[in-house]
Amino acid sequence: VLGRALAGRRHEVTITSKFWTEADHDADRQMRELEASLRRLRTDYVDIYLNHNVNAVARIANPEWHAFIARAKEQGKIRFSGVSGHTNKLVDCLKYGLDQDAASDSDRLLDVILVAYNFAQQPSFKDRIKQTLSELAPSLDLIAPQRELPGLLDRAHRQGVGVMTMKTLKGARLNDMRRYEAPGRTFAQSAFRWILSDPSVDALVVSMTSRAQIDEYIEASGSIPPDMDDLALLSRYLLQNVASQCVQGCNDCATACPAGVETADLMRIRMYDEDYGLPETAREEYARLAPNGSACLSCTGAPCAGSCPVGLPIAALNRDTHTRLTT
């Protein structure tokens, strides 16, 4: 679809693509994946190519990935490279990439990064909310467990790395907020304004599946800096959802399950279905999980009870996720 739509207009757009490369994938395999993508897009290059969903340093330390990136750049098939991620290992991966680039004079690994980052993780937001709504302060540490991420984004910016952000709506439970919104002042617009006001952030990525969403979302790009009305909307959203949302990148529950269920992945996939309204995407992602929530069907829930910092009933939610995505 994109290939047909961009025929004759390729030079007018920037295309970002990404591939889930593993630590044992060789450079030839990665090149085949890129070339297949280029054929589907009906183009001979992409502007930005990302190592997708990095969750282990070995994924980006793989010398085969380095060789592939160097060859693809030399051949003009990609212009810039980087990583995307939103797991609890994201910080470690960013540190490795930034350290490698700072110590090397050769082509760098990270021209661009795409990371999960929302207003509740921003120091500027937390400072403002402490000043104006001190009763929320005890909850703030539970919202942003990746304490080093803001500093790493600042470092990336200073090293000349482009910083793109995703998951900027913190769950995207938009229907919760409609009654409090006004024209030109929606929850999404407030969340986007706050992220884009961060000097370390160059852009944000968000799904737009209707003309109305395009109009609403684009209005926040390049608009005025966030103000007290934006702060009020975002604070209300936190009050309503802080105790019922999985904290992306937390992963405190990782070692709780004796069956090895990756609860953080189940919660993320549940978000695609319940919050984003993308059941097919959720089903496709869930089908790739092993083990999945079926292990929770016969479990008492005792092993993971108390492991969630915001008190989510993990076993019950995992059972519900399994049922809704397999029936």
Side-chain angles (χ1 to χ4, degrees):
V1 172
L2 288 175
R4 293 196 300 273
L6 296 177
R9 307 185 64 178
R10 171 66 182 89
H11 63 286
E12 299 179 25
V13 302
T14 298
I15 295 178
T16 299
S17 189
K18 50 190 181 178
F19 169 57
W20 193 318
T21 177
E22 298 289 358
D24 60 351
H25 288 175
D26 62 31
D28 290 339
R29 173 174 177 171
Q30 295 177 65
M31 184 63 77
R32 289 194 299 271
E33 293 285 350
L34 171 61
E35 290 172 344
S37 183
L38 294 178
R39 286 193 295 272
R40 290 192 295 272
L41 286 167
R42 303 185 184 188
T43 185
D44 55 2
Y45 75 99
V46 292
D47 299 276
I48 300 169
Y49 199 66
L50 302 175
N51 189 333
H52 176 48
N53 196 25
V54 292
N55 54 15
V57 169
R59 295 263 308 280
I60 61 173
N62 178 11
E64 291 292 306
W65 183 58
H66 302 184
F68 155 71
I69 290 297
R71 191 194 313 170
K73 286 182 175 179
E74 183 180 356
Q75 295 176 0
K77 294 176 180 177
I78 63 172
R79 296 178 62 207
F80 305 104
S81 61
V83 298
S84 67
H86 45 61
T87 71
N88 64 314
K89 298 296 184 182
L90 174 62
V91 164
D92 294 337
C93 295
L94 292 181
K95 281 182 180 178
Y96 174 85
L98 292 172
D99 287 347
Q100 292 297 305
D101 289 347
S104 174
D105 294 328
S106 59
D107 289 341
R108 60 189 191 180
L109 298 178
L110 304 182
D111 299 306
V112 181
I113 57 176
L114 171 61
V115 301
Y117 192 54
N118 61 63
F119 60 91
Q121 294 171 276
Q122 290 179 266
S124 60
F125 178 80
K126 295 203 290 185
D127 289 344
R128 288 288 298 276
I129 208 171
K130 284 179 180 178
Q131 295 169 12
T132 57
L133 295 172
S134 58
E135 68 273 14
L136 272 182
S139 301
L140 290 175
D141 287 341
L142 301 179
I143 297 169
Q146 293 177 315
R147 300 177 189 275
E148 296 177 86
L149 184 57
L152 284 172
L153 299 189
D154 177 65
R155 178 186 171 186
H157 180 74
R158 286 186 280 107
Q159 286 187 208
V161 178
V163 176
M164 299 190 293
T165 58
M166 58 179 165
K167 305 290 189 289
T168 51
L169 292 176
K170 202 181 185 307
R173 295 184 180 177
L174 304 183
N175 291 335
D176 294 352
M177 299 300 299
R178 289 306 187 199
R179 75 183 81 171
Y180 309 113
E181 296 176 339
R185 184 78 66 173
T186 69
F187 163 72
Q189 290 172 335
S190 295
F192 295 158
R193 274 195 284 267
W194 212 284
I195 282 291
L196 291 172
S197 70
D198 191 318
S200 300
V201 173
D202 296 299
L204 66 85
V205 175
V206 62
S207 296
M208 293 180 278
T209 56
S210 69
R211 289 178 180 270
Q213 278 189 335
I214 293 173
D215 290 340
E216 177 186 356
Y217 292 178
I218 293 299
E219 186 176 341
S221 182
S223 63
I224 59 174
D227 57 22
M228 290 300 293
D229 290 333
D230 294 311
L231 183 71
L233 270 178
L234 300 179
S235 302
R236 185 180 291 275
Y237 182 84
L238 284 184
L239 281 170
Q240 293 185 175
N241 294 295
V242 69
S244 61
Q245 284 183 328
C246 177
V247 181
Q248 292 295 317
C250 163
N251 221 28
D252 281 3
C253 59
T255 60
C257 179
V261 174
E262 295 285 353
T263 292
D265 285 335
L266 263 71
M267 293 296 179
R268 174 176 54 84
I269 292 170
R270 181 183 179 87
M271 178 178 66
Y272 295 154
D273 179 40
E274 187 175 37
D275 297 341
Y276 290 10
L278 300 171
E280 293 306 314
T281 298
R283 287 178 183 274
E284 290 174 8
E285 290 268 337
Y286 192 72
R288 289 196 285 264
L289 279 188
N292 60 28
S294 61
C296 304
L297 296 177
S298 58
C299 180
T300 63
C304 60
S307 64
C308 176
V310 295
L312 294 180
I314 292 175
L317 289 173
N318 286 355
R319 286 192 287 267
D320 181 67
T321 298
H322 177 76
T323 301
R324 70 163 65 198
L325 297 180
T326 56
T327 57

